[in-house]
Amino acid sequence: MSPSHPHFATELRNRLQRLLEASVRDGVAPAVACAVVLHQGSGNDSGGAGGIELPVLTAGQATHGTFFDLASVTKLFTTATVLALVNDGRLALDAPIGRHLRAYAAGEKSTVTLRHLLTHTSGLPAQWRGWHTALSDGNGFRRTELIADLLTTPLTAPPGTRYEYSCAGFNTIMVLAERVTKTPWAQLVKERVLYQLPTHGITGSPRIEQCAPTEYQPELGRGLVRGIVHDEAAWSLAGLSGNAGMFATADGLRVFGTVLLNGLPGILSPGLAAEMWRDQLPGILAEHFKVAGPGFGQGLGLRINEQPWMGAAGTQARGHTGFTGTSLLVDQEAGLVISLLSNRVNPSRDCSDATELRQAVSELVYSFAQ
């Protein structure tokens, strides 16, 4: 259906609504919300430079004002924050981080760079389990001690030789930024990113009553987690962290997605924004690329052409997913933003998988973006 057709937006909205309602009915998640922009910057007659912005759609226990735990979608805010420091000359993408972190000043770790951390090629493992050790020992969470433990995480591969998605790497980015700026991470994210966005729908410290609940975790002494980050590593590090901890409404995340699609103006220079968008893996992995590549592209923080959830038409798409059932997809070529939020881990992480819902939403929206 052409964007100039009078029922274009209504038809897409109705079909998306049916998808969301079916996902709740089928047990994917108790609460789902979605916000979409089409033809952003395309200049077509139906939406002009601002594109076609659909009303926020919700199903189940969600409302327009419901905040969802973004989980690893938070990594996009981490990326924007630390790249703003690169933009200002406080950090450099290709300088060894050992200049600022003593734990990375010697041995194989001395070659790890910020670019490695942002592209999951540092050699760090996927997870850091220091939080679990602290709980098991009955010591509670002491952030300074936990960060010291995080920084001792050994590499499992030489830097620049393997892709391994690493939450530990993004929490290391957080520590690096705090050390360089002498500023708490949550404040840095506000100053560098959130205060530059025209929305109040994104926060690292939500009001509990506005949040969709996530997992029931009595075994960790948490009960039903709501309004507090679900990710255990981020929880142990006081909430908003490098790997997780941001909360947003569907419209709030759509606003960020639109700003991201337009190059993060006021946050990054055009050149650095373009570098964020570019696939980094062929250059970093070099001769290791074919055997160590993940099968999709990886920009600075951004996944590229991850078709199992971006859909077959999303070859130029960038974005990220979150373990709790969230995702943000942006496509500059198509002028497209899809903010899709759910709490699929409620009441248990074993309940469902949001991949099929993400893919179905992506493919439906792309079919209207042609």
Side-chain angles (χ1 to χ4, degrees):
M1 183 179 292
S2 167
S4 62
H5 192 286
H7 301 301
F8 173 86
T10 300
E11 177 65 16
L12 175 56
R13 183 172 70 244
N14 289 343
R15 291 175 64 178
L16 278 172
Q17 184 67 51
R18 288 195 291 271
L19 266 180
L20 302 189
E21 290 173 354
S23 72
V24 172
R25 193 166 55 246
D26 294 343
V28 174
V32 185
C34 182
V36 172
V37 175
L38 283 166
H39 304 293
Q40 173 70 22
S42 66
N44 61 61
D45 292 340
S46 59
I52 302 168
E53 187 173 290
L54 298 186
V56 173
L57 304 176
T58 66
Q61 298 167 10
T63 70
H64 292 192
T66 299
F67 281 76
F68 290 80
D69 182 334
L70 295 184
S72 282
V73 176
T74 299
K75 291 180 173 69
L76 299 184
F77 295 88
T78 299
T79 301
T81 300
V82 75
L83 287 182
L85 297 178
V86 173
N87 210 67
D88 287 354
R90 305 290 297 276
L91 286 169
L93 280 171
D94 297 308
I97 65 171
R99 294 180 181 179
H100 307 287
L101 300 177
R102 182 176 298 178
Y104 280 77
E108 205 166 43
K109 279 187 169 184
S110 67
T111 63
V112 173
T113 67
L114 178 57
R115 191 186 299 271
H116 287 139
L117 295 173
L118 286 168
T119 57
H120 304 285
T121 58
S122 67
L124 282 168
Q127 301 292 335
W128 161 74
R129 297 280 292 176
W131 66 269
H132 188 269
T133 302
L135 273 187
S136 299
D137 292 346
N139 293 331
F141 296 145
R142 300 181 180 93
R143 191 173 188 269
T144 300
E145 294 176 9
L146 289 171
I147 285 175
D149 184 77
L150 167 70
L151 294 179
T152 65
T153 303
L155 302 185
T156 57
T161 65
R162 187 182 71 188
Y163 176 96
E164 182 175 5
Y165 180 79
S166 179
C167 291
F170 267 71
N171 279 330
T172 303
I173 291 172
M174 171 189 70
V175 178
L176 174 66
E178 288 186 332
R179 294 284 173 86
V180 168
T181 63
K182 305 294 190 292
T183 303
W185 178 247
Q187 187 61 30
L188 264 181
V189 177
K190 289 177 186 177
E191 292 175 356
R192 294 293 181 155
V193 180
L194 298 188
Y195 291 164
Q196 319 307 319
L197 301 177
T199 179
H200 296 291
I202 308 171
T203 181
S205 53
R207 294 171 58 184
I208 291 175
E209 65 273 15
Q210 294 180 318
C211 294
T214 54
E215 193 167 15
Y216 181 56
Q217 292 187 321
E219 71 281 5
L220 298 181
R222 305 181 76 185
L224 180 63
V225 180
R226 185 181 184 191
I228 299 170
V229 61
H230 171 263
D231 179 88
E232 293 88 357
W235 171 50
S236 76
L237 295 171
L240 177 58
S241 300
N243 75 310
M246 196 70 79
F247 290 74
T249 64
D251 188 59
L253 189 60
R254 169 169 61 183
V255 169
F256 174 72
T258 304
V259 173
L260 176 62
L261 181 143
N262 289 324
L264 294 170
I267 299 173
L268 301 183
S269 67
L272 196 51
E275 185 67 8
M276 181 180 178
W277 207 260
R278 183 177 69 84
D279 188 2
Q280 304 283 318
L281 295 185
I284 294 174
L285 296 178
E287 69 270 19
H288 302 283
F289 176 61
K290 290 187 177 180
V291 295
F296 54 84
Q298 177 70 52
L300 298 178
L302 287 165
R303 303 291 191 96
I304 302 171
N305 188 24
E306 197 172 18
Q307 293 200 3
W309 70 274
M310 292 177 171
T315 57
Q316 300 304 311
R318 271 72 170 164
H320 216 290
T321 60
F323 184 76
T324 50
T326 59
S327 59
L328 175 65
L329 184 152
V330 291
D331 189 325
Q332 289 180 333
E333 189 171 284
L336 181 64
V337 177
I338 305 173
S339 161
L340 180 61
L341 304 180
S342 80
N343 61 340
R344 71 101 195 161
V345 296
N346 177 253
S348 168
R349 67 185 65 198
D350 299 322
C351 287
S352 69
D353 183 354
T355 302
E356 287 187 10
L357 172 61
R358 292 174 181 134
Q359 184 184 58
V361 169
S362 296
E363 291 186 343
L364 175 58
V365 175
Y366 268 109
S367 73
F368 277 75
Q370 306 302 319

